[in-house]
């Protein structure tokens, strides 16, 4: 770390304390009367060492204590305040070492001057100087930008992001979206930006159907907050929206209320369902894979692929000259085939008992109501009904109107299809997959097709260019292999009981306690290069998060394709690749938190 000679008086904050042991990894600073240190401040000390020269030890303040030296009882405080009892007020700041340069691990000596690090010294203390490509993620408590290393996000040296916190308070989804905005608009991706996509599953209302709309609350102060991070204060540029079709509607209109333009309906035809052997995703509950009837699931899926023939142009199928034009029709057909002595052995397996078959059929029939809207053989084919991430930079799939079982089916089938596509295309581009309520799809116990998919992505997704951004209320309930493979761990407001779980062992004790008090927008970010998680505050979204925040009418300026489906030009708002572009706004940091 650089040596700038005598430090300015305002940078000197105190002396290394000698009342407690000072170690190479943890030391304390006695704060001067005319100075202060707060949590998350970066502190620097220097020591002359024979053979090494000047050794600089830098760290982050993880605790601050104040006490009366000379007082023995609580009541002494009143005597000291009245001037009757002599005592000295002293503040001690605990500093956890982040970097020693050069690497001579010796303790800072008591009485050594302690400085508040800034500029290049701060960057060195937090390893920002060693990050080849820095992704801005928010402001520190000192009003300066905080970064994560792109190498641990894009799969170069690590991948995946885990975001935890209480629902509705921790702003998990907002942070994940801000991270995507930073990746797409800061220029860090370079030319890969043209081949990088994001897939977002929305399960809570229609809030994510307005990502391409400017927020009506966007003002000069908010623009300044984004400009201080080198980011434009604008909505996402190229976004495609999908929603399930309206139940009972034969025209295939999307089931949305707030946004009526620019949203395409998605569904799978029965022919696709049979051809793709998608039956296993109907049985996606984690308990099911441990049941014997899963043998029937795989046998029936294989027979559907072999025997089902397309019937017409609307996705219906025919099996043994009997047509199925709805999911209920297909379920009834499977029921008859499994209960017919002439076909039972072929469709269920020759050694499968009737009890196992009945268990399969009970669960299959329970799927009729939740899956009927999205498994169709009665809707006219349209070019826009298939979920495809290649046409837009960001693809949002709205699932909030679907029952949980249907949500599981959509998530499983879509991720499987995108994984297969990436395997064929190679790792040239990146696919960021943002999934909320991860503990529902990849719980700690049990197994399911979706959990197996997510485990596969967590362990080898970086080699395919698939990056998982998982959000959950409780990381302790998510499969360990997913959490442990996440290079970037982010924590917002936590429940006190959850904060005590071993999964948050990367947080120092003071940060665990602070996480139970964190306000919306405040997060603690852990990354491999920095020993201590950093507290950040990210700015309010520049894009609308609900219909009432839209500054313009959603779906305005549409274009019409030859198939009659109204949509936007998907590339007309792609951000520039030049990271040196000037953005609007000033450079004042956001207010402290």
């Amino acid at each position: 770390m650089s040596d700038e000679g005598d430090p300015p008086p305002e940078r000197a904050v105190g002396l290394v304390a000698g009342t407690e042991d000072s170690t190479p990894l943890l030391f304390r600073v006695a704060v001067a009367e005319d100075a202060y240190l707060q949590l998350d401040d970066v502190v620097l000390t220097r020591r002359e060492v024979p053979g090494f020269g000047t050794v600089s030890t830098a760290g982050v303040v993880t605790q601050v204590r104040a006490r009366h030296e000379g007082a023995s009882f609580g009541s002494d405080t009143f005597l000291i305040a009245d001037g009757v009892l002599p005592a000295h007020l002293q503040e001690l700041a605990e500093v956890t070492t982040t970097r020693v340069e050069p690497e001579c691990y010796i303790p800072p000596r008591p009485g050594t001057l302690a400085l508040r690090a800034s500029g290049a010294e701060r960057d060195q203390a937090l390893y920002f100087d060693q990050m080849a490509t820095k992704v801005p993620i928010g402001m520190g408590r000192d009003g300066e930008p905080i970064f994560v290393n792109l190498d641990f996000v894009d799969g170069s040296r690590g991948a995946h992001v885990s975001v935890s916190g209480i629902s509705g308070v921790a702003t998990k989804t907002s942070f994940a979206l801000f991270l995507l905005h930073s990746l797409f608009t800061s220029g860090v991706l370079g030319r890969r930006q043209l081949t990088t996509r994001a897939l977002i599953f929305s399960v809570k209302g229609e809030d994510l159907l307005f990502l391409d709309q400017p927020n009506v609350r966007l003002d000069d102060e908010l623009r300044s907050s984004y400009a201080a991070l080198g980011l434009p204060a604008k909505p996402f540029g190229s976004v495609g929206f999908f929603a399930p079709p309206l139940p009972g509607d034969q025209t295939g209109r999307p089931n949305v209320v707030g946004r009526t333009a620019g949203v395409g309906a998605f569904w799978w035809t029965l022919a696709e369902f049979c051809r793709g052997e998608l039956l296993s995703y109907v049985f996606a509950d984690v308990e099911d894979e441990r049941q014997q009837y899963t043998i029937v699931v795989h046998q029936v899926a294989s027979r559907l692929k072999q025997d089902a023939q397309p019937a017409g142009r609307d996705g219906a199928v025919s099996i043994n000259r009997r047509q199925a034009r709805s999911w209920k029709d297909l379920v009834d057909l499977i029921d008859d085939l499994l209960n017919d002595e002439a076909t039972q052995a072929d469709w269920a397996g020759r050694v499968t008992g009737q009890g196992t078959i009945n268990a399969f059929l009970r669960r299959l029939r329970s799927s009729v109501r939740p899956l009927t809207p999205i498994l169709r053989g009665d809707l006219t084919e349209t070019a826009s009904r298939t979920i495809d991430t290649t046409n837009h930079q960001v693809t949002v799939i709205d699932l909030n109107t679907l029952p949980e079982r249907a949500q599981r089916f959509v998530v499983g089938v879509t991720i499987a299809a995108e994984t297969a596509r990436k395997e064929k295309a190679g790792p040239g581009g990146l696919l960021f997959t943002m999934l909320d309520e991860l503990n529902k799809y990849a719980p700690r116990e049990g197994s399911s097709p979706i959990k197996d998919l997510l485990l596969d992505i967590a362990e080898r997704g970086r080699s395919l260019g698939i990056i998982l951004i998982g959000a959950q209320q409780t990381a302790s309930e998510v499969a360990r292999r997913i959490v442990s493979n996440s290079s970037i761990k982010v924590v917002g407001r936590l429940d006190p009981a959850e904060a005590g779980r071993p999964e948050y062992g990367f947080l120092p004790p003071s940060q665990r306690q602070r996480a139970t008090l964190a306000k919306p927008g405040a997060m603690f970010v852990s990354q491999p290069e920095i020993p201590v998680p950093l507290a950040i505050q990210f700015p309010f979204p520049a894009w609308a998060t609900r219909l009432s925040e839209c500054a313009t009418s959603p779906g305005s300026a549409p274009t019409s394709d030859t198939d009659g489906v109204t949509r936007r030009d998907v590339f007309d708002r792609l951000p520039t690749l030049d990271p040196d572009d000037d953005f609007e706004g000033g450079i004042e940091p956001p207010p402290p938190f």
Side-chain angles (χ1 to χ4, degrees):
M1 301 179 192
S2 60
D3 189 347
E4 301 176 357
D6 294 334
E10 63 272 13
R11 292 187 54 211
V13 291
L15 303 176
V16 176
T19 54
E20 298 183 56
D21 292 343
S22 179
T23 73
L25 302 180
L26 184 71
F27 61 95
R28 291 162 182 81
V29 172
V31 183
E33 290 185 0
D34 57 349
Y36 75 95
L37 280 175
Q38 63 173 331
L39 296 176
D40 309 313
D41 277 348
V42 183
V43 175
L44 172 68
T45 69
R46 297 189 179 96
R47 174 179 171 182
E48 293 296 329
V49 180
F52 284 91
T54 302
V55 175
S56 299
T57 302
V60 173
V61 176
T62 51
Q63 188 60 275
V64 183
R65 296 181 175 87
R67 60 173 296 174
H68 276 130
E69 293 181 339
S72 301
F73 306 100
S75 59
D76 289 348
T77 304
F78 299 97
L79 299 177
I80 295 169
D82 294 337
V84 176
L85 183 67
H88 181 71
L89 179 63
Q90 182 61 63
E91 294 183 5
L92 284 178
E94 179 185 272
V95 180
T96 301
T97 300
T98 58
R99 187 169 180 179
V100 178
E101 197 69 34
E103 289 193 351
C104 176
Y105 284 92
I106 56 174
R109 283 182 170 173
T112 302
L113 186 66
L115 310 174
R116 192 189 310 275
S118 61
E121 292 176 341
R122 174 183 179 272
D123 291 346
Q124 291 171 350
L126 301 180
Y127 290 87
F128 295 158
D129 63 318
Q130 293 191 352
M131 297 181 182
T133 307
K134 299 181 292 186
V135 182
I137 56 170
M139 288 291 184
R141 293 185 62 85
D142 56 1
E144 296 296 323
I146 297 292
F147 306 93
V148 295
N149 192 340
L150 181 65
D151 287 349
F152 290 100
V153 178
D154 67 359
S156 299
R157 299 165 61 189
H160 312 309
V161 181
S162 174
V163 189
S164 306
I166 297 175
S167 179
V169 182
T171 56
K172 303 183 299 294
T173 302
S174 296
F175 176 80
L177 288 172
F178 179 78
L179 176 61
L180 289 175
H181 179 271
S182 180
L183 287 164
F184 286 138
T185 62
S186 62
V188 296
L189 294 174
R191 295 199 173 277
R192 285 188 302 172
Q193 186 168 309
L194 294 175
T195 56
T196 296
R197 300 290 183 265
L199 175 62
I200 301 174
F201 294 96
S202 175
V203 296
K204 297 176 181 176
E206 298 184 1
D207 294 352
L208 302 188
L209 294 182
F210 309 100
L211 298 184
D212 60 342
Q213 301 298 312
N215 197 309
V216 71
R217 297 172 62 178
L218 185 60
D219 54 16
D220 290 341
E221 182 179 357
L222 185 55
R223 290 188 179 93
S224 297
S225 299
Y226 277 83
L229 294 169
L231 303 174
K234 65 180 184 181
F236 287 83
S238 172
V239 191
F241 301 98
F242 291 90
L246 192 65
D249 185 271
Q250 296 301 309
T251 63
R253 290 184 298 168
N255 186 12
V256 292
V257 177
R259 179 169 187 151
T260 57
V263 182
F266 71 87
W267 67 89
W268 286 267
T269 66
L270 297 181
E272 287 175 330
F273 178 87
C274 297
R275 184 172 60 249
E277 297 184 86
L278 305 182
L279 183 63
S280 61
Y281 296 103
V282 176
F283 301 85
D285 294 337
V286 295
E287 304 85 10
D288 291 340
E289 281 293 296
R290 296 179 292 178
Q291 307 298 324
Q292 293 183 356
Y293 73 83
T294 56
I295 300 174
V296 184
V297 174
H298 298 300
Q299 180 68 15
V300 171
S302 178
R303 296 296 305 189
L304 287 173
K305 181 179 181 179
Q306 178 180 336
D307 295 353
Q309 300 296 323
R313 298 182 178 180
D314 51 8
V317 294
S318 174
I319 301 176
N320 294 349
R321 298 182 180 181
R322 179 175 169 184
Q323 279 196 8
R325 304 188 63 83
S326 68
W327 176 236
K328 183 179 184 304
D329 291 344
L330 186 57
V331 170
D332 290 339
L333 199 158
I334 294 172
D335 191 328
D336 293 341
L337 290 169
L338 288 174
N339 285 307
D340 188 335
E341 292 184 0
T343 56
Q344 184 182 83
D346 291 336
W347 281 78
R350 297 189 181 278
V351 296
T352 304
Q354 188 62 44
T356 301
I357 294 174
N358 291 339
F360 166 81
L361 289 174
R362 283 197 304 271
R363 288 162 175 80
L364 182 65
R365 286 204 166 277
S366 68
S367 71
V368 170
R369 182 175 179 182
L371 294 183
T372 292
I374 56 175
L375 294 178
R376 309 295 289 263
D378 58 347
L379 291 180
T380 303
E381 180 75 18
T382 63
S384 62
R385 71 162 182 85
T386 303
I387 297 173
D388 188 355
T389 61
T390 59
N391 293 329
H392 302 87
Q393 194 172 62
V394 178
T395 300
V396 178
I397 304 176
D398 179 37
L399 304 177
N400 84 91
T401 60
L402 292 176
E404 184 173 315
R405 189 165 184 177
Q407 291 180 8
R408 292 178 186 272
F409 180 86
V410 175
V411 170
V413 174
T414 303
I415 292 180
E418 287 300 314
T419 301
R421 181 185 66 81
K422 282 293 295 176
E423 286 180 332
K424 293 180 180 179
L430 298 174
L431 175 64
F432 292 95
T433 302
M434 177 179 155
L435 184 58
D436 200 0
E437 298 184 11
L438 186 59
N439 52 293
K440 182 171 70 176
Y441 301 101
R444 175 145 299 187
E445 304 297 334
S447 62
S448 73
I450 300 177
K451 181 177 178 179
D452 292 342
L453 270 175
L454 295 173
L455 288 172
D456 186 47
I457 290 175
E459 294 175 343
R460 71 181 187 100
R462 55 178 289 202
S463 64
L464 300 174
I466 303 177
I467 312 301
L468 178 64
I469 302 177
Q472 60 278 324
Q473 295 188 45
T474 52
S476 61
E477 296 181 5
V478 177
R480 288 186 180 91
R481 287 155 59 188
I482 292 181
V483 176
S484 62
N485 277 286
S486 297
S487 296
I488 309 297
K489 296 180 177 65
V490 184
V491 173
R493 177 76 169 267
L494 288 178
D495 177 83
E498 177 68 9
R501 301 279 187 174
E503 286 72 22
Y504 304 95
F506 61 90
L507 293 173
S510 62
Q511 288 192 355
R512 286 201 190 197
Q513 185 175 0
R514 289 167 62 194
T516 64
L517 307 171
K519 295 180 179 179
M523 315 294 283
F524 300 95
V525 181
S526 172
Q527 52 185 314
E529 289 180 311
I530 306 176
V532 180
L534 302 180
I536 66 147
Q537 179 89 24
F538 65 95
F540 190 81
W543 48 91
T545 60
R546 55 181 62 90
L547 180 60
S548 61
E549 291 181 351
C550 291
T552 60
S553 176
S556 58
T559 60
S560 181
D561 288 350
T562 55
D563 62 0
V565 178
T566 301
R567 58 174 63 85
R568 290 175 177 271
D569 179 359
V570 298
F571 295 110
D572 62 348
R573 296 175 66 187
L574 273 175
T576 177
L577 294 177
D578 185 2
D580 296 325
D581 280 348
D582 292 328
F583 303 123
E584 292 182 297
I587 58 173
E588 287 188 6
F593 59 96

